Amino acid sequence: MNQYFFFIDDVIWPFRDLSRQRPASIFDHPFLGMLKRMNRQYGLKTQLNIFFSTDPSYGGEDFDLTQIPDIYREEFRANASWLRFAFHAEKEFPGYPYVNISYDEMKAAYTRVRDEVYRFAGEEVFSHRVLIHYNAISKAGCQALRDCGVTLLSSTDGADLPEDYAALSPAARERMLAGRTEETTRPYLKTRSSGETIPAIRAYNHLSDDMALRCDHSLCAWAGNDLHLPMKEFCHLLLNVHKPQEIERLLPERITGDFIGIGDHEQYFYPDYARYQPDYEQRIAAACRIMQEKGWQSIRMDELSFIPIV
C-alpha cells in the first residue's frame, strides 16, 4: 500500500502548557486534542519534531523540557502507536543552527532532548528519524546523530550557487561563515512547497540532482555518503504555506510513487501568534481526507521500511 508521513515542526508550546496548566489529559490541550481528532477520523499518525526550549524573542517566561512533569508518561505511552516525538533543534532561533556544528555540540543537543522525552513520555515515544531545523547539518553533526542512533535524516537538494550570491540574506551568510570547516557548507537554490525558488544554505546532508530524483516519492534513501547514514527528502507539501482550497488543488497532483511527506509548523495553531491561521485544523483535515480517498495509508516515519541506495 502507498504510504504517507505527517509531521509538525517547531513544537514546544504544548509541553509548556501541560507543565503549567496540568490538565487531566494531554488531549485536553487544544493542539494535542486536535491531533487526536485527526487520528480518530482519518487514522492520522503524527511525528512532532520538538525544540528543547522556548525562544525569548516571543516574550514570556523561559521554558524547557526539564520542566515537564512525568505525570503524563503513561498516557503518552498509550498513544505511541500514532504520536511520536523527535529531535528538531534546541530552540527556534538562530536559523541554520547546525550548519557548522561540532560533533560534541550536536551529540549534547540531541541527547538532551532524547533523555527528557525518555523521562516524561517513555523511550518508545521517541523517533530516531530526524528532520533537522533549517535542514542543513555539518558532517560532524551527521556523524554525531548516527552515533546517537539516528537511522534516517532529512536531506536537501538543489543547484549550488556562487558563494558570494547577492540574494542570500546577511543573516544566512553570517551563519554560513561562522565556524565553517567543511566545503559542503555553501549556498544553494531551494525549491519551496509553493514551487518558488529561494537561496538557502546547505551542508553535508545534501543530495545530488540525480540521487534526489531517485529518492523522491519513493522508499529509497541515499546511504552512499561517507557515514553510511541514510538521507532523503521528507516533505512534498507544507500545509502552513497553503490554504485549504490550495491543498485540495495541489495535493492530488503530488500524490505519486510509493511515499510522500506532508508537513506543518506548530506556531500557526495559536491565536496569539502573529501569523495565526484560524483554519489550521481544516488544512490538516483536507490533506487527510484527500489521502484517505486516494487509498494511502498514514504511517509513522519509524514504520517506513526504506531501501538504502549506496
Side-chain angles (χ1 to χ4, degrees), residues 7-15 31-32 47-54 65 68 83-92 98 109-110 112-118 120-121 125-127 130-133 266:
F7 66 91
I8 301 178
D9 281 347
D10 299 357
V11 177
I12 186 64
W13 292 341
F15 301 124
F31 181 80
L32 297 173
Q47 177 168 306
L48 301 180
N49 300 316
I50 66 177
F51 291 142
F52 176 76
S53 66
T54 55
L65 298 183
I68 304 176
L83 183 64
R84 295 289 174 99
F85 306 144
F87 175 86
H88 194 47
E90 293 165 278
K91 56 184 177 180
E92 184 160 0
Y98 304 122
Y110 186 83
R112 185 160 62 162
V113 170
R114 180 199 66 194
D115 292 350
E116 288 303 323
V117 172
Y118 282 12
F120 73 78
V125 178
F126 192 73
S127 172
V130 173
L131 293 87
I132 287 290
H133 193 38
E266 179 217 67

Side-chain angles (χ1 to χ4, degrees), residues 4-11 31 35 44-49 88 131 193 233-242 247 251 254 259-266 268 277 280 283-285 287-288 291 301:
Y4 76 97
F5 166 60
F6 178 67
F7 66 91
I8 301 178
D9 281 347
D10 299 357
V11 177
F31 181 80
L35 293 177
L44 181 68
K45 298 181 179 182
T46 302
Q47 177 168 306
L48 301 180
N49 300 316
H88 194 47
L131 293 87
S193 175
E233 171 61 58
F234 283 11
C235 185
H236 298 92
L237 190 73
L238 198 55
L239 300 184
N240 57 271
V241 175
H242 304 288
I247 295 168
L251 186 54
R254 302 187 188 186
F259 166 84
I260 66 170
I262 300 171
D264 210 332
H265 286 79
E266 179 217 67
Y268 298 94
Q277 295 176 346
Y280 189 100
R283 297 180 190 219
I284 298 176
C288 288
M291 300 309 293
M301 180 53 80

Side-chain angles (χ1 to χ4, degrees), residues 27 52 59 79 120 135 154 157 163 177 186 195 219 231 250-251 257 267 271 284 286-287 297 310:
F27 300 116
F52 176 76
N79 289 276
F120 73 78
N135 278 317
S154 59
D157 64 87
E163 195 157 304
L177 297 175
R186 57 177 301 111
L219 302 181
M231 303 175 181
L250 291 172
L251 186 54
Q267 52 267 50
I284 298 176
Q297 179 185 19
V310 297

